Amino acid sequence: MPKITKFVRDQYTTLPVPQPPADMASATYIVTGANSGLGLECAKHLVRMGARRVIMAVRSRSKGETALSAIRSATGRPHAGEVWELDLASPDSVEAFARRVDALDRLDGLIANAGVAMSTFELVGGMETTVMVNVISTMLLAFRTLPKLSEWARRGGKLTNLVIVSSNTALEPELEQKVASLRGDVFDALSVKEGFAPFDQYPMTKLLEIFAVRQLASIIPVSTSGVVVNTVNPGLCYSDLDRNLGTMARLGMAVTRRVLARTSEQGSRTLLHAAFAGPESYGAYCSECQVKESDIPAWITSAVGKSMQKRVWTDLLKRLESIGHGVDIEALAAK
Ligand SMILES: NC(=O)c1ccc[n+]([C@@H]2O[C@H](COP(=O)([O-])OP(=O)(O)OC[C@H]3O[C@@H](n4cnc5c(N)ncnc54)[C@H](OP(=O)(O)O)[C@@H]3O)[C@@H](O)[C@H]2O)c1
């Protein structure tokens, strides 16, 4: 089927609101980037579904409080939800957030939804901002919350969920060549101003997320951790994701969205699906509220793709180590 036909068909797929787990009334979920777009709608669904604790992880407390007020009045739950600060441009902020997570009595799911798309080159902590926010800090957060998710899986006698919100833009065929052409360390190569191409950078970071999750899943089986790790594509949705893009790009997005986009609420259903999914979604790519490994292009699962996946993984762990936020994967796997 031609790519565009498939995209249109996917966008027009009717998405169900997923059924929450039976123990929802005692469950705790964290949603990052919960003050706007998909994250806000996902947090709202979780509150409406009766989750005991919904932690909205946001970089601006005031924006978070405004979103929480909106959720409380929309759901009629005046005491539900809480706002915790988290700035993914700062690994130190991730560590501080993770220490709070560690003190939770239980954690049923982390929905790592926050992300950016940039049209200008900006460095943060020595890395291009999209790379830092979407990949380095998002994966650091995943590594740091895994022990709590795993602990509750064991104590609660259930599977818990770790969802990384990716994108179908990661699966564009051109990315195969582009990722293969990165010389040296992947994160250094993507943090050079001269080579910065806004339309490649965002999908590239979403591809790196997919590689990282697939490698993590291959190292720490769900049978050991009790944590279902997956990636999800929400599809093209109305949101503020294009806020940092140039005028022409925003105009193009506005036209495309008018014809094809889902609302953020509809898109958020895909996040809920991934957050409630079972072991069949382990390490997998979800889209349209289904496990859709068939969408993953053959090159990603080929020997070339697997070797790229390992390279991304090695560079990710090396980078976290070099910036003082190392991760002991063997210790994580043993937990
Ligand atoms: N919308 C789509 O069509 C689409 C398609 C595929 C995938 N996605 C993915 O869906 C996720 C949600 O995006 P969205 O469409 O809902 O866009 P959005 O409305 O722009 O939401 C992005 C969220 O990420 C937060 N964020 C950005 N930088 C951050 C940082 N440094 N630290 C902490 N939080 C930060 C934003 O906070 P502020 O408000 O403070 O900036 C905002 O809450 C992203 O991962 C995106 O890549 C979206």
Side-chain angles (χ1 to χ4, degrees), residues 122-129 131-132 136 187-188 191 319 323:
E122 284 174 31
L123 282 178
V124 57
M127 269 168 286
E128 192 281 321
T129 300
V131 170
M132 175 65 103
I136 302 287
F187 301 101
D188 280 341
S191 296
R319 178 57 52 128
I323 61 174

Side-chain angles (χ1 to χ4, degrees), residues 32-39 57-60 63 86-89 112-116 133-134 165-168 202 206 209 233-243 253 257 264:
T32 71
N35 60 286
S36 83
L38 297 158
V58 298
R59 65 173 157 171
S60 152
K63 283 194 205 171
L86 169 69
D87 183 357
L88 294 167
N113 157 80
V116 280
V133 171
N134 294 1
V165 180
S166 181
S167 165
N168 54 0
Y202 170 79
K206 294 287 154 182
E209 288 178 338
N233 162 48
L236 178 68
C237 305
Y238 282 98
S239 79
D240 284 340
L241 189 63
D242 60 353
R243 74 185 86 171
M253 279 297 287
R257 278 179 172 155
S264 282

Side-chain angles (χ1 to χ4, degrees), residues 188-230:
D188 280 341
L190 288 171
S191 296
V192 177
K193 187 172 185 182
E194 288 66 44
F196 180 72
F199 287 104
D200 293 342
Q201 191 83 344
Y202 170 79
M204 186 68 84
T205 59
K206 294 287 154 182
L207 174 62
L208 299 189
E209 288 178 338
I210 289 176
F211 276 139
V213 166
R214 294 176 89 83
Q215 188 65 18
L216 176 63
S218 74
I219 294 172
I220 309 181
V222 65
S223 53
T224 311
S225 68
V227 186
V228 176
V229 186
N230 56 34

Side-chain angles (χ1 to χ4, degrees), residues 59 111 152 163 199 227 230 249 257 277 306 313 327 335:
R59 65 173 157 171
I111 299 148
W152 180 245
V163 179
F199 287 104
V227 186
N230 56 34
R257 278 179 172 155
K306 286 204 174 117
W313 181 255
V327 176
K335 283 194 175 162

Side-chain angles (χ1 to χ4, degrees), residues 287-300:
S287 192
E288 284 75 52
C289 297
Q290 298 165 45
V291 176
K292 273 209 172 167
E293 273 294 283
S294 55
D295 280 6
I296 294 287
W299 79 267
I300 290 185

Side-chain angles (χ1 to χ4, degrees), residues 161-184:
N161 289 71
L162 197 170
V163 179
I164 306 287
V165 180
S166 181
S167 165
N168 54 0
T169 59
L171 311 181
E172 292 296 325
E174 310 83 74
L175 280 189
E176 178 180 1
Q177 278 310 313
K178 285 177 182 158
V179 76
S181 69
L182 296 174
R183 296 281 157 256

